[in-house]
Amino acid sequence: MKSTTGHVQWPPSLWVAETPPGPDLPKLEGRETADVVIIGGGFTGLSTALHLREAGIDVAIVEAMEPGWGASGRNNGQVIPTLSRPDPDDLVARHGAAGERFVAMLRDSAQNLFDTVRRYNIPAEHEQTGWVQPVHSPGRIKIAERRFKQWSKFGADVEMLSRDQARDMLGSDAWHGGFWNRTGGHINPLALARGLARIVLSLGGRIYARSPVLDFIRRDDRWVVRTAQGEMSARALVLASNAYSGEFSKALAPDIAHEVMPVLSWQMATQPLSDNVRKTVIPARQAMSDTHGELYFARYDARNRLVTGGAIVAPPNKAERLKRRVGERLQRLWPQIGEVRFDYIWNGYVGMTTDHMPRIHRLGPDAYGWTGCNGRAVALTIPLGGELAKAVRGVPASELALPFTEPVTIPAHSLLRPFAPLMLLLYRYRDAKEIG
Ligand SMILES: Cc1cc2nc3c(=O)[nH]c(=O)nc-3n(C[C@H](O)[C@H](O)[C@H](O)COP(=O)(O)OP(=O)(O)OC[C@H]3O[C@@H](n4cnc5c(N)ncnc54)[C@H](O)[C@@H]3O)c2cc1C
């Protein structure tokens, strides 16, 4: 069954079922102008617009569907102030001073998100309970130790967890210790996207929905963003379409779309757990993602459902097979959970780069964009929007936490894309090899 908000068909998900509809929004029709135009109404686009309105800048978002329709409304909602793999030293080694500024932004990113939610009273079911990365094999304690050492050096609020502490925190014997960051937590991501959209509108920003951008060009020293029924001319441009960049128009930004492999990540939510069980499974409600390459992750929603997920290589019946696989996993991790029923299952694209690094670009005069969240940018996108807003306002690169690179496309991207799920087999092999 499909659910409808405005004029858009939303694929069913826990977040669509639990979240009140977003604001009514017009399509982009005819010729419009703005000082800054943003393509894409996910967290990046919305946060950039919010920061621009806070500075009194005229801004318009042009979104293909509705705010939050991409990764921002489909994710697990874990607010994590780290990247998936690269650690601070990797960022500094690659990007020097800009890397250091980026690390500082990332360190503060979860706090920044929760502060934004509180400042604007966004009803996003936020819980700043911390984020834990438990290690799934004795060998991988090195990951936690490296993270702890490097983030401590940069002043992050982090700790190492012993095996006993990890067991107490997670209510399971499955892990061997871990890395713990107090500033993280979780949110209802679609509620955050819709809340941010309402704030942008209330501050005088414009958001056009159901308006897929076909392309953008340079005309008379301005950027012109073109849709089937209209166009927006602006001094400056932010491309915030991320892993969905090739979804609505192959001509939008092919070099950026081909920089990432969009990998389908499945999310699923159990039935609400009974109070007795809930008190024994992650009793203090932290967000958790472990060190498996085939990631184990979980957090509670506001109704005590465990929101988790996974990936699966080949058809058929992917959803049913995944329910079985992840249900058995939950029973293995927490035998007290009993029979597991999943009330919701959905998916979304994660933009994976070959080196797990985000890619931030100058696209031309006063034009910026990024991609490559690698499944870890709910927290990051909020301050990143602040930096992109500064960039289009003319703040020099030497003051921005934006480590710019040139786009580097993945060779034979369209040929490789169908094989991307096979990477999971490699992750499973590596995960199994390191156990014991
Ligand atoms: C299933 C899943 C689970 C995840 N879980 C987590 C997690 O728990 N924690 C975490 O930190 N990160 C997670 N992530 C990553 C996180 O969701 C993303 O990093 C983040 O939402 C990116 O936001 P964004 O605004 O940059 O991109 P998006 O939210 O994808 O927004 C891009 C927008 O651009 C629009 N668009 C695309 N093309 C056009 C066009 N031609 N014209 C107009 N608009 C266009 C799309 O409709 C979309 O709304 C997950 C991602 C997925 C997919």
Side-chain angles (χ1 to χ4, degrees):
M1 201 176 62
K2 301 261 182 185
S3 55
T4 307
T5 299
H7 300 101
V8 168
Q9 291 272 300
W10 283 80
S13 75
L14 168 72
W15 307 126
V16 170
E18 285 190 347
T19 309
D24 288 335
L25 296 167
K27 280 188 186 177
L28 177 61
E29 289 172 330
R31 291 185 166 200
E32 299 277 349
T33 60
D35 188 44
V36 182
V37 60
I38 297 171
I39 302 171
F43 295 147
T44 301
L46 292 162
S47 172
T48 306
L50 173 67
H51 284 88
L52 286 169
R53 281 313 301 150
E54 284 176 337
I57 310 286
D58 175 33
V59 60
I61 295 176
V62 186
E63 161 58 45
M65 301 295 268
E66 306 267 352
W69 191 87
S72 296
R74 299 162 188 250
N75 62 60
N76 199 258
Q78 297 205 13
V79 181
I80 306 173
T82 70
L83 297 181
S84 60
R85 297 209 188 160
D87 280 318
D89 288 355
D90 305 315
L91 286 155
V92 175
R94 175 84 61 98
H95 299 291
E100 280 188 31
R101 293 191 292 275
F102 185 86
V103 168
M105 173 175 73
L106 189 57
R107 176 198 61 208
D108 300 339
S109 59
Q111 191 59 47
N112 185 308
L113 180 147
F114 287 114
D115 287 347
T116 304
V117 165
R118 290 186 195 111
R119 186 164 69 251
Y120 285 107
N121 262 323
I122 297 174
E125 298 171 349
H126 63 285
E127 297 188 43
Q128 194 171 12
T129 43
W131 175 70
V132 56
Q133 183 176 37
V135 297
H136 77 277
S137 72
R140 290 205 185 175
I141 199 74
K142 284 198 199 99
I143 295 177
E145 285 168 352
R146 192 186 64 219
R147 291 222 131 143
F148 170 70
K149 200 167 146 212
Q150 294 192 22
W151 281 110
S152 301
K153 197 170 68 188
F154 279 89
D157 190 357
V158 294
E159 269 178 44
M160 278 295 290
L161 296 179
S162 67
R163 183 165 192 163
D164 286 350
Q165 287 170 316
R167 186 180 48 234
D168 290 349
M169 189 176 277
L170 298 165
S172 168
D173 242 345
W175 290 282
H176 298 257
F179 171 77
W180 162 233
N181 185 309
R182 284 177 201 288
T183 62
H186 48 92
I187 46 143
N188 169 338
L190 184 57
L192 177 58
R194 289 176 174 170
L196 286 170
R198 285 188 192 284
I199 303 299
V200 168
L201 295 174
S202 74
L203 294 176
R206 282 173 285 160
I207 305 177
Y208 297 93
R210 304 176 301 285
S211 304
V213 174
L214 303 175
D215 61 8
F216 56 92
I217 56 165
R218 200 77 181 133
R219 189 198 291 155
D220 301 332
D221 285 341
R222 287 176 69 82
W223 292 102
V224 181
V225 159
R226 304 191 287 197
T227 68
Q229 289 162 335
E231 62 176 48
M232 173 76 63
S233 153
R235 176 190 61 80
L237 175 140
V238 174
L239 179 72
S241 44
N242 211 325
Y244 284 77
S245 292
E247 192 72 6
F248 300 96
S249 165
K250 300 279 174 245
L252 180 70
D255 48 346
I256 290 176
H258 289 177
E259 242 186 329
V260 296
M261 207 42 95
V263 172
L264 210 56
S265 164
W266 291 78
Q267 305 291 305
M268 44 225 288
T270 66
Q271 77 280 26
L273 300 192
S274 73
D275 222 31
N276 282 344
V277 174
R278 201 210 58 72
K279 282 182 193 149
T280 67
V281 174
I282 323 181
R285 304 176 69 85
Q286 291 89 353
M288 179 279 281
S289 323
D290 81 354
T291 50
H292 278 96
E294 185 186 4
L295 200 62
Y296 290 13
F297 56 94
R299 43 76 48 105
Y300 283 109
D301 79 344
R303 288 146 203 86
N304 294 330
R305 299 176 191 279
L306 216 43
V307 193
T308 178
I312 197 140
V313 179
N317 302 329
K318 282 190 174 184
E320 288 314 308
R321 281 166 51 224
L322 201 60
K323 281 184 188 172
R324 216 170 30 247
R325 187 178 174 91
V326 176
E328 285 165 9
R329 177 190 299 166
L330 293 184
Q331 285 171 332
R332 225 174 32 247
L333 296 172
W334 293 286
Q336 69 272 34
I337 211 164
E339 199 190 329
V340 179
R341 196 184 76 229
F342 289 103
D343 286 348
Y344 299 95
I345 180 161
W346 68 99
N347 58 42
Y349 282 118
V350 172
M352 304 295 288
T353 54
T354 46
D355 55 6
H356 306 275
M357 288 275 190
R359 305 288 166 78
I360 305 176
H361 304 306
R362 291 189 196 88
L363 305 176
D366 298 316
Y368 300 89
W370 90 289
T371 191
C373 74
N374 292 285
R376 238 353 117 75
V378 166
L380 175 65
T381 47
I382 304 304
L384 184 69
E387 293 302 297
L388 291 167
K390 281 192 219 161
V392 293
R393 291 174 60 204
V395 172
S398 57
E399 292 172 27
L400 297 171
L402 297 176
F404 291 114
T405 54
E406 291 300 315
V408 179
T409 59
I410 296 174
H413 184 271
S414 18
L415 293 178
L416 287 178
R417 191 171 166 171
F419 297 103
L422 294 178
M423 284 301 289
L424 192 60
L425 297 177
L426 175 67
Y427 292 145
R428 279 183 193 158
Y429 170 73
R430 285 190 188 152
D431 289 343
K433 224 172 88 173
E434 285 191 26
I435 286 177

